[in-house]
Amino acid sequence: MNYTTQMDAAKKGIITKEMEIVASKENMKVEELRELVAEGKVAIPANKNHKTLSAEGVGQGLKTKINVNLGISKDCPECEKELEKVRVALEMKAEAIMDLSNYGKTEGMRKRIVEMSTAMLGTVPIYDAVGFYDKELKDITAEEFLQVVEKHGEDGVDFITIHAGINREAIKTIKENKRLTNIVSRGGSLLFAWMELNNKENPFYEHFDKLLDICEKYDMTISLGDSLRPGSIADSTDANQIKELIVLGELTKRAWERNVQIIVEGPGHMALNEIESNMVIQKKLCHGAPFYVLGPLVTDVAPGYDHITSAIGGAIAATYGADFLCYVTPAEHLRLPNLDDMKEGIIATKIAAHAADIAKGIKGAREWDNKMSKARADIDWNTMFDLALDKEKAERYRAESKPHDEESCTMCGKMCSMRTMKKILNGEDLNILRD
């Protein structure tokens, strides 16, 4: 039986090879996964032209996935540095990479990432449009925006961020509900500018059916961009954010009718006490579609440490329904992240994702922690290192401060509680003062 997309196959009762791969990774029955894909509650972004992909699922009942942003800009145009980030991100087992390149002809870099990446690849086509056509934003036509989307589909991109929810009605709401930080979404601000400069409707909203034609052709998942996400805790859960979310829910249903998979993007910056309710609202308004959040950052006053403010919010968001976390690095709000920034961002986000998976009861999540705890009780350093989320750092820290007694560490020495309990329970002499 033929099918056009993962969702089309799922609705027809077909088990695809991508579903089998995801089910195996998730320790889930493939039939259970197929039903979730058919309902839109799980997305498997898998462009037909991405031949190196090892498929991942995003959504209900699955492990929380993380995304790594990278890409060239006018100030930092060196492709090789960004491709090195891709290699390291893959080594660190990031499930998704987004190429946010916004300068020059980006096709070459995008194709190289598709060729080398086993992780799913995302892009934001509107970032590419100005360089692709070598035109000012105002002069790009609606048809040309769609042609860029088609090019990304041809190149093998698995999911695309499309800011289709910021329509003329939303702009009216923006002007009537003033914000402290206005529109902080780069794609959203570009579309706002295009609409105002041309006095026209958002081309991705107006021509959403044509967009669906392209995505169905390549089985490209749409990540519905949150143009009006809050960029400060002062602006969270306001009329602008909720207005757009309602539109994104409507677009989700239209996409599903065409068997196009959807992920919905969410906040942003948000105080801790608002996160749970926002996750519930999103899932309700967007019919259980997978939810992808940037953070949320829970305070605005920690530049240089926003991987931490983001991980705090991400752990809470994923506990209450978010399925996909976009990493944030220490360089957020300050500069393009370097390789070390990227590593810190990945680790912080993986910690958040895993903490949430424990809370959600995801299969196998707690077992990892139990193995680490047993290794600590056994004072089995090699096993501890093998189980560590960041093995290199754990080994380096221990090597930098060698204990007198190899069993313990330099924090407690022979007063180590694990050492004490192990020796006493084994009927051995404790021997704290003597060599």
Side-chain angles (χ1 to χ4, degrees):
M1 191 183 295
N2 293 327
Y3 62 89
T4 56
T5 68
Q6 294 292 321
M7 177 175 265
D8 183 40
K11 288 179 180 178
K12 291 174 176 175
I14 300 171
I15 302 294
T16 67
K17 69 178 187 298
E18 289 82 10
M19 291 179 202
E20 290 175 343
I21 290 168
V22 172
S24 176
K25 289 180 177 181
E26 301 286 345
N27 299 312
M28 174 183 277
K29 292 180 180 177
V30 72
E31 180 59 26
E32 180 185 354
L33 176 67
R34 183 199 63 76
E35 290 178 2
L36 290 168
V37 174
E39 295 171 357
K41 292 178 180 177
V42 165
I44 302 177
N47 187 309
K48 296 170 184 177
N49 293 335
H50 190 174
K51 305 303 183 184
T52 57
L53 176 71
S54 177
E56 296 284 355
V58 179
Q60 182 178 307
L62 308 187
K63 292 191 285 279
T64 305
K65 306 304 186 298
I66 77 159
N67 170 68
V68 171
N69 289 340
L70 44 82
I72 57 172
S73 65
K74 187 171 183 178
D75 291 310
C76 300
E78 298 174 58
C79 288
E80 290 305 322
K81 284 188 176 181
E82 297 308 295
L83 290 170
E84 177 60 18
K85 289 181 186 176
V86 173
R87 286 185 274 271
V88 173
L90 293 173
E91 288 173 5
M92 296 180 74
K93 296 182 170 53
E95 291 90 3
I97 291 167
M98 287 199 80
D99 178 11
L100 304 187
S101 295
N102 58 24
Y103 174 69
K105 305 299 182 184
T106 63
E107 179 182 355
M109 179 168 163
R110 185 166 59 249
K111 285 185 173 180
R112 287 180 69 182
I113 297 175
V114 169
E115 288 169 2
M116 67 191 288
S117 180
T118 53
M120 52 187 167
L121 175 63
T123 60
V124 187
I126 193 171
Y127 293 175
D128 193 25
V130 174
F132 187 80
Y133 293 110
D134 197 19
K135 279 177 152 184
E136 283 297 334
L137 179 70
K138 177 181 182 294
D139 300 323
I140 299 172
T141 66
E143 185 60 34
E144 286 173 331
F145 280 126
L146 291 170
Q147 286 170 3
V148 174
V149 173
E150 175 95 33
K151 186 72 184 90
H152 285 221
E154 288 177 1
D155 291 345
V157 173
D158 301 298
F159 65 101
I160 48 171
T161 293
I162 298 291
H163 301 84
I166 181 170
N167 55 18
R168 298 298 298 177
E169 193 174 341
I171 284 182
K172 184 172 180 286
T173 304
I174 293 164
K175 292 177 178 178
E176 291 174 350
N177 295 270
K178 299 296 183 183
R179 281 180 154 186
L180 190 60
T181 48
N182 297 312
I183 297 176
V184 298
S185 159
R186 182 163 52 183
S189 66
L190 291 173
L191 277 169
F192 175 87
W194 187 91
M195 292 162 69
E196 290 289 277
L197 291 169
N198 289 288
N199 194 28
K200 290 183 178 179
E201 181 56 277
N202 179 345
F204 295 116
Y205 179 79
E206 184 176 7
H207 303 290
F208 195 67
D209 287 330
K210 291 182 180 178
L211 175 68
L212 295 177
D213 290 339
I214 297 168
C215 292
E216 183 182 25
K217 180 178 177 181
Y218 299 101
D219 195 2
M220 193 159 47
T221 299
I222 298 175
S223 186
L224 287 170
D226 50 342
S227 305
L228 304 182
R229 68 174 179 264
S232 60
I233 61 172
D235 294 336
S236 61
T237 326
D238 68 354
N240 301 299
Q241 180 192 335
I242 302 303
K243 177 83 168 182
E244 182 183 35
L245 192 57
I246 292 169
V247 175
L248 297 184
E250 294 166 352
L251 295 175
T252 295
K253 292 179 74 174
R254 285 176 60 184
W256 286 347
E257 288 168 4
R258 293 284 305 279
N259 297 319
V260 172
Q261 298 182 107
I262 289 293
I263 295 170
V264 179
E265 298 185 11
H269 292 234
M270 183 167 288
L272 279 170
N273 60 305
E274 294 181 48
I275 296 174
E276 180 181 358
S277 60
N278 266 262
M279 300 305 107
V280 173
I281 290 169
Q282 186 281 336
K283 286 288 185 176
K284 193 81 172 175
L285 292 179
C286 294
H287 322 291
F291 197 25
Y292 175 28
V293 296
L294 178 73
L297 282 68
V298 296
T299 179
D300 300 328
V301 298
Y305 298 91
D306 278 328
H307 58 312
I308 297 173
T309 65
S310 171
I312 293 168
I316 296 169
T319 295
Y320 292 107
D323 308 289
F324 195 12
L325 303 181
C326 186
Y327 93 149
V328 172
T329 77
E332 186 78 6
H333 302 113
L334 300 171
R335 60 170 167 81
L336 189 78
N338 61 27
L339 191 60
D340 287 338
D341 296 328
M342 186 195 77
K343 290 178 181 178
E344 287 194 59
I346 290 174
I347 293 297
T349 310
K350 287 177 78 73
I351 292 169
H354 179 62
D357 287 348
I358 293 169
K360 288 191 286 192
I362 297 297
K363 290 179 182 177
R366 190 177 286 269
E367 283 74 9
W368 183 9
D369 293 71
N370 291 344
K371 288 177 182 177
M372 176 64 85
S373 296
K374 184 178 187 306
R376 284 176 174 157
D378 293 341
I379 319 179
D380 181 351
W381 290 100
N382 289 332
T383 300
M384 283 186 251
F385 295 144
D386 288 340
L387 290 168
L389 199 148
D390 185 352
K391 180 179 181 179
E392 182 276 330
K393 187 173 185 177
E395 289 181 328
R396 174 165 53 85
Y397 269 39
R398 178 158 172 80
E400 287 173 352
S401 184
K402 284 285 189 181
H404 178 75
D405 185 274
E406 278 298 317
E407 263 195 329
S408 61
C409 76
T410 54
M411 172 70 78
C412 300
K414 286 187 175 182
M415 288 190 182
C416 168
S417 61
M418 299 298 186
R419 179 181 182 274
T420 297
M421 293 305 298
K422 185 179 178 182
K423 284 187 173 293
I424 295 301
L425 291 174
N426 287 340
E428 299 176 20
D429 179 23
L430 187 54
N431 183 18
I432 292 176
L433 296 176
R434 303 184 305 277
D435 290 332

